[in-house]
Amino acid sequence: MTISLPLFDADALPDASQAAAELLARARSVEAGYYDELRGDDGKLRPAWQAFAEYLGGSVDDLSRRQGVLAQQILEDGITYNVYSAPGGNSRPWSLEVLPMLLGPQDWASIERGVSQRAHLLNQVLLDVYGEQRLLKDALLPSALVLGHPGYLRGLQGVRPPGDVYLHVMAFDLMRGDDGNWWVVSQRTQAPSGLGYVMQNRLIVSRLYPEAYRAMSVQHLASGYRRLVDTLQTLAEPCAGDEAPRLALWTPGPYNETYFEHAYLARYLGLPLVEGGDLIVRDERVYLKTVQGLEPLHGLLRRVDDDFCDPLELRPDSTLGVPGLLQAVRAGNVVVANALGTGFLESPAIHGFLPALSKAVLGEDLALPSLPTWWCGEAAALAAVTPELSSKVVRPTYPNIVMNDQGAGPRQGLDAVLGPALSPTGLQGLRDRIERDPSAYTAQSFVSYSQTPVWSQGQCVLRGTSLRVYALADGLGGWQVLPGGMTRIASREAGYVSMQLGGSSLDTWVLTEEPVDTFSMLPHPLKAEDVVQRQRPVASRTGENLFWMGRYTERAEQQLRLVQALVNLLGDDDTPDAGVLEAMSALAASTGLVPPGTPSLLQSPRVFERAAMEALADPLAKQGAYSLAFNLGSLARTAHTLRDRLSSDHDRLLRTLAPDFSLRLRRGEEPARELVEAREALDHLGMQLAAVTGAQTDRMTRDAGWRLLTVGRLVERLGAYAGMLQAFVQQGAVHSPQGFDMLLMLFDSTITFRARFQRRLEWPALVGTIVMDETNPRAMGCVLRRLRNELVKLPDRSSPLTGLLDLLPVEGVGLNLADMATPGAGEAAVEALAQRLMEASWRLSDELGLRYFAHAEPSAQTMSA
């Protein structure tokens, strides 16, 4: 659906001149030789900015407030960009500015026409290079450049992708020169990044200026994303046969720099997020390893570069790829978007040949030119450009060439060396390096980035600007250009535009005179068969992470309750019972609250407390104590891999547990030194974990993944409770009132017990409450009943493994109350039962892993053994 909005008329806006004057007064002057995106040649605001200033609805000082709202939204949403060399860790909040980039209709029409033409041209080049190779034979493309590039995959020569579409999504980095014209700086053809950030930027910034966004006729983005999925589904139909095509988004994993957008994009597009380890090739077909078994995949939207996609035929040391993927591609059984083998088009040297290629292939001139380019592998080009290196940008022709020659100056280690920034010594070193291996280098003309306004400390500063736009194939031989994209800015006025060097991003508003497209990502009305087909598979890796999320959640709860019990024990005015002290010490050691070898509470209470306090806030378990901080960190890391399955509130809560607990453990500037000082932090963590449990219980889909999470919690709870019961029985702690009460507290069953038995401290009542009672969710009988119920609902997979239910008692806990209530003999029976249930929980965890996560097929040797 589309709606028609009139394009703004700045002159008709009331008090536009006053608002514009205020914005102009805060804006710094553009540097000489740079295009000013904010002001025209007359020094006034350009029409789009004049209108935007008025729609701010008040003083421009309000931009600082909106900037704070934006920053808070980024933190709450957990939008991150991973930089491996970043100080203090590899993950940092996504950088987004409060002001958008404004592009008028004429600018966009020029960009759209040029990008669409270029996408079509490059796809035709790929069809030829992997087909007849007429372009190489006619010397329109140097054979040495194409065939010598590692991005050209000889194993795919002669293989045509479904629909003849190599490039399903392309990214082009543009810059505007000082004359106002747009130039293509680079193109991304393997696995272009940024689409997820583009949508996230739009959702945040458009909400900051709802009136301006509506009134200025900003073109929407959603239809482009729908087009991407629809095209991939259509192209994958022949691979699926009579089935509906199954698609997935393939990520390198949570340590990739743009992993956040992979998870976000997968959720937005409605695709499962998979890693290479989730996929397997059987009989030249790609399958997803799920907890239900192997399920076929017919299309992969990949974010993994070519080199890493198939360790059998490409990079053998890759752990990100899928062995046999190229053979599945050659067999025509899977659509990979973008197609493998497109990497050589990312070489800057290709730009120098595109004008002639456009005339030869399309019969028309390039509508959007590249920067003038010289590939030094051609003798004529080398001779022409060598004397002019001081005014050029030199880039590596092939990947993995680091531009860090002696004297390379401020561009050291990047993918380009800026000639004007080099000293005479550095310039000569660059010439020598090119002379030694000329084909490895490409020179381009230097053009100054245009500068766009950025709000900073109450002023509009101007920053160098690069615009990344995306072309999406429609499957019919055409390309749709996403109306917008990601504008990236430098970290200083005339600096290098790079997110890794501290740059930032802007939402890109394309203003249109046409009706605004209000398409939603909600597709056409579903049919009954569509509903069945859209049940999301649970990848085995996802199932395993959910299983461990359940275990880490329960483990943190059990440790928290144990620490709170220690606080109560150490703060009790009465002399502690020796058996209780020994039981609590044994539990603390076995659950990782104190390092191995720590003296017990009975031997040295001060040393024990100091060790427990130090371990409490140690996320790295440096002394071997895997205490609360460590398990909260493990829970957060597990949740990070599940971002595509968790609600934003659930995800945010899990991310804040560890840092919030660490902050609350500090009393002012000093860390807490005694357990009693940690009481407030422990109580607050208890409320947070209760919220986590509520989110897991009430706000997650009851699919096989959720059942594995629940089973994980129950397995952990069964083992923990069995360990607690065994420790207290072994040390005789259950015979003292203090031990009796403490065991009820550890089982979180104090209220249940008091409501039934008041103050009667008798062994049968205790066993009945925390062991036998199937209505008490904290009793072992209830845990076992729930475990049996959930296990039978897990996917039924044929397996040579022993039945999971056989590991548990057939009913109840395996003993009757009379046997456990007998004085003396009953305690021995309970201790033996606790040992059996602990062993059952360990064995059950292993069996679940083998059955649902490993996908290891038994060999003939093991079957006959």
Side-chain angles (χ1 to χ4, degrees), residues 195-430:
L195 277 175
Y197 290 122
V198 168
M199 181 54 72
Q200 188 71 65
N201 286 358
R202 173 59 54 86
L203 292 175
I204 293 177
V205 175
S206 63
R207 291 169 185 165
L208 296 176
Y209 313 102
E211 183 181 356
Y213 185 70
R214 288 191 301 269
M216 293 176 70
S217 297
V218 180
Q219 192 58 276
H220 295 185
L221 301 172
S223 62
Y225 291 81
R226 184 74 255 164
R227 173 68 57 81
L228 177 61
V229 176
D230 287 346
T231 299
L232 193 53
Q233 282 184 321
T234 300
L235 295 174
E237 285 177 356
C239 306
D242 296 333
E243 301 179 16
R246 292 187 175 96
L247 311 178
L249 194 152
W250 180 11
T251 174
Y255 299 107
N256 183 262
E257 61 187 8
T258 56
Y259 179 74
F260 166 82
E261 75 144 342
H262 302 173
Y264 176 83
L265 193 60
R267 183 162 51 193
Y268 185 72
L269 298 178
L271 303 179
L273 185 67
V274 302
E275 297 180 24
D278 299 327
L279 307 176
I280 190 170
V281 173
R282 297 268 176 86
D283 298 324
E284 298 183 337
R285 292 187 177 275
V286 178
Y287 292 88
L288 174 64
K289 303 173 187 175
T290 77
V291 296
Q292 292 90 353
L294 298 181
E295 294 193 3
L297 279 180
H298 310 105
L300 290 171
L301 179 59
R302 69 179 173 106
R303 294 302 308 274
V304 180
D305 286 344
D306 286 358
D307 284 359
F308 298 93
C309 285
D310 186 344
L312 284 183
E313 298 191 44
L314 300 173
R315 184 165 171 165
D317 62 341
S318 170
T319 59
L320 307 177
V322 185
L325 178 63
L326 260 66
Q327 187 55 36
V329 169
R330 281 191 288 262
N333 292 329
V334 64
V335 177
V336 179
N338 285 343
L340 298 171
T342 61
F344 72 90
L345 289 178
E346 295 183 350
S347 172
I350 294 293
H351 293 266
F353 303 95
L354 289 180
L357 286 170
S358 182
K359 289 183 178 180
V361 176
L362 305 180
E364 54 193 36
D365 292 329
L366 278 179
L368 195 61
S370 298
L371 293 174
T373 303
W374 295 263
W375 178 45
C376 296
E378 290 188 314
L382 177 62
V385 79
T386 299
E388 302 179 7
L389 284 180
S390 60
S391 63
K392 306 300 180 189
V393 178
V394 178
R395 303 180 186 275
T397 302
Y398 309 114
N400 303 322
I401 296 177
V402 181
M403 305 295 289
N404 61 353
D405 206 3
Q406 184 178 3
R411 303 294 172 260
Q412 203 165 37
L414 296 175
D415 63 351
V417 169
L418 200 61
L422 293 180
S423 65
T425 301
L427 195 60
Q428 185 56 49
L430 180 59

Side-chain angles (χ1 to χ4, degrees), residues 548-565:
W548 277 99
M549 174 185 282
R551 294 197 65 173
Y552 282 129
T553 303
E554 184 68 25
R555 191 171 295 179
E557 281 195 351
Q558 299 299 339
Q559 286 189 327
L560 171 64
R561 198 167 288 110
L562 187 55
V563 175
Q564 290 174 322

